[in-house]
């Protein structure tokens, strides 16, 4: 593969602030490349990129300065093992080989475009927002499918795929107080045939599996699990889009393109282009409108979350709020607020979301998590500063 040179991106434009949220969907996430290609052609530059799972990887390559066509060239090397059997762990650097040397020397602080990726703490059960430090470990974490790729250790956390709890991270994009959020929903195939269920040996393998573990039964069981994951992913993506309501939703028509179909790169990129072309008029109209905030400071991440459902909440977009012990709490809905008011101690007992890796021996409560983080500057500690005015809404 030829050496790729990052493209210089000019300073952010004046006017509406744009955040691009790239959703998860494994190989279906290759459609993000087509989206980026159209935006690049039209001179539309996001002020912030937010990604989950494959969206985090494609977003990182773009934030590192690669043009869409160069990202596509990198993605041609992506391959999932053809004969994967449960119990075999795949090496991340083998699946995404050509992305590794590009991302290895980069840190979030020196990216061309501010980037945020999401992951999940396996032990705490919390969503983790990654925005500082080395890029590659964070991208490995957001793309780590449990049981297929090894969990990634960052600080004192064991992290896995961000799509588990947030497959379309529109709410995370709200942290930079954007005027416009463009979300790209790739999800999973809602319906597709499973030829494995019609194999002549399927019934025999199912019976054999009740007697002794064997590779054939394991393969069949894995295919059923993958299909179940696709159904869950499709439903979660639909709910995320409905609950967050991004200003622009891009939904590439990917048909039966599966989570492991990295060899269908051209189909995915084409679908991303077509879907973006369809929303261009509306996107341009929104970007030409006066920004909600007339005076802009440097890009700042403000972390507040709904203590009931753990959705990241922007005060300007919150649908409800409540006061409790001198602190203000913001909610995604009146239902969440009502649940909180009935038993606030229940929802303040455990951490629901966090910035960055947790240090050994550290335990965070909602009250200790609210705060701001300046994205353009290198920070010694990526954790937010405590903010009592924001209360336990971090």
């Amino acid at each position: 593969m030829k050496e790729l040179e990052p493209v210089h991106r000019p300073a952010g434009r004046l006017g509406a602030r744009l955040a691009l949220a790239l959703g998860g969907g494994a190989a279906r996430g290759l459609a993000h490349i087509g989206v980026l290609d159209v935006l690049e052609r039209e001179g539309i530059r996001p002020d912030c990129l937010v990604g989950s799972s494959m969206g985090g990887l494609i977003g990182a390559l773009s934030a590192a300065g690669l043009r869409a066509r160069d990202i596509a060239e990198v993605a041609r090397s992506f391959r999932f093992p053809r004969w994967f059997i449960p119990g075999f762990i795949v090496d991340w650097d083998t699946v995404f080989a050509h992305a590794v040397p590009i991302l290895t020397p980069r840190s979030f602080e020196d990216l061309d475009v501010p980037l945020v990726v999401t992951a999940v703490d396996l032990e705490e059960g919390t969503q983790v927002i990654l925005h500082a430090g080395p890029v590659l470990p964070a991208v490995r974490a957001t793309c780590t499918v449990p049981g297929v790729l090894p969990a990634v250790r960052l600080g004192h956390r064991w992290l896995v795929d961000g799509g588990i709890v947030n497959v379309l991270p529109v709410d995370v994009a709200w942290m930079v107080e954007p005027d416009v959020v463009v979300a790209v929903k790739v999800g999973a195939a809602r319906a597709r045939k499973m030829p494995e269920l019609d194999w002549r040996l399927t019934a025999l393998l199912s019976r054999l599996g009740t007697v002794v573990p064997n590779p054939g039964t394991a393969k069949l069981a894995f295919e059923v699990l993958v299909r179940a994951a696709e159904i869950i992913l499709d439903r979660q993506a639909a709910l995320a889009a409905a609950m967050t309501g991004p200003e622009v939703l891009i939904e590439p028509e990917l048909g039966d393109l599966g989570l492991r179909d990295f060899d269908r790169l051209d189909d995915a990129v084409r679908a991303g282009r077509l879907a973006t072309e369809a929303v261009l008029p509306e996107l341009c109209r929104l970007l030409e409108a006066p920004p909600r905030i007339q005076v802009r400071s440097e890009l700042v991440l403000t972390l507040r979350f709904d203590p009931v459902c753990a959705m990241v909440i922007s005060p300007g977009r919150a649908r409800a709020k409540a006061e409790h012990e001198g602190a203000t709490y913001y909610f995604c809905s009146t239902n969440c607020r009502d649940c909180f008011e009935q038993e606030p101690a229940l929802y303040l007992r455990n951490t629901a979301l966090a910035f960055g890796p947790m240090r050994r021996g550290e335990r965070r409560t909602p009250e200790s998590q609210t705060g701001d983080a300046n994205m353009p500057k290198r920070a010694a500690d990526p954790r937010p500063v405590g903010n009592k005015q924001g209360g336990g809404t971090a």
Side-chain angles (χ1 to χ4, degrees), residues 86 202 204-210 212-222:
T202 295
L204 175 61
L205 289 173
S206 296
R207 289 196 298 271
L208 182 61
T210 64
V212 61
N214 65 89
T217 305
K219 172 65 175 174
L220 179 62
F222 178 72

Side-chain angles (χ1 to χ4, degrees), residues 210-274:
T210 64
V211 179
V212 61
N214 65 89
T217 305
K219 172 65 175 174
L220 179 62
F222 178 72
E223 294 300 330
V224 172
L225 284 172
V226 168
R227 181 60 193 139
E230 289 179 338
I231 295 169
I232 294 169
L233 189 61
D234 174 69
R235 178 59 61 88
Q236 187 187 134
L239 289 174
M243 291 178 66
T244 56
E247 281 71 24
V248 177
L249 179 63
I250 299 175
E251 297 186 78
E253 180 50 61
L254 295 165
D256 64 351
L257 196 150
L259 300 178
R260 294 166 288 175
D261 292 341
F262 288 102
D263 58 327
R264 296 179 62 183
L265 169 68
D266 292 335
D267 293 340
V269 172
R270 187 181 305 111
R273 287 197 190 103
L274 290 173

Side-chain angles (χ1 to χ4, degrees), residues 100-229:
V100 174
I102 296 169
L103 299 179
T104 295
R106 306 306 295 265
S107 68
F108 282 88
E109 293 80 3
D110 65 16
L111 293 173
D112 290 16
V113 178
L115 171 72
V116 180
V117 300
T118 68
V120 176
D121 184 324
L122 265 181
E123 295 179 317
E124 295 290 326
T126 58
Q127 180 176 206
V128 180
I129 307 299
L130 301 169
H131 71 99
V135 170
L136 183 58
V139 172
R140 283 196 186 111
T142 196
C143 293
T144 292
V145 180
V148 177
L149 295 157
V152 175
R153 190 180 183 91
L154 280 180
H156 196 47
R157 296 185 186 273
W158 284 103
L159 302 181
V160 292
D161 201 299
I164 293 174
V165 298
N166 199 346
V167 72
L168 189 64
V170 175
D171 58 327
V172 179
W174 289 343
M175 293 194 299
V176 298
E177 296 291 349
D179 299 295
V180 179
V181 175
V182 174
V184 186
K185 173 178 170 285
V186 292
R190 177 162 297 180
R192 71 171 176 86
K193 295 293 184 181
M194 289 193 65
E196 300 86 358
L197 298 180
D198 295 322
W199 287 346
R200 291 183 178 180
L201 293 176
T202 295
L204 175 61
L205 289 173
S206 296
R207 289 196 298 271
L208 182 61
T210 64
V211 179
V212 61
N214 65 89
T217 305
K219 172 65 175 174
L220 179 62
F222 178 72
E223 294 300 330
V224 172
L225 284 172
V226 168
R227 181 60 193 139

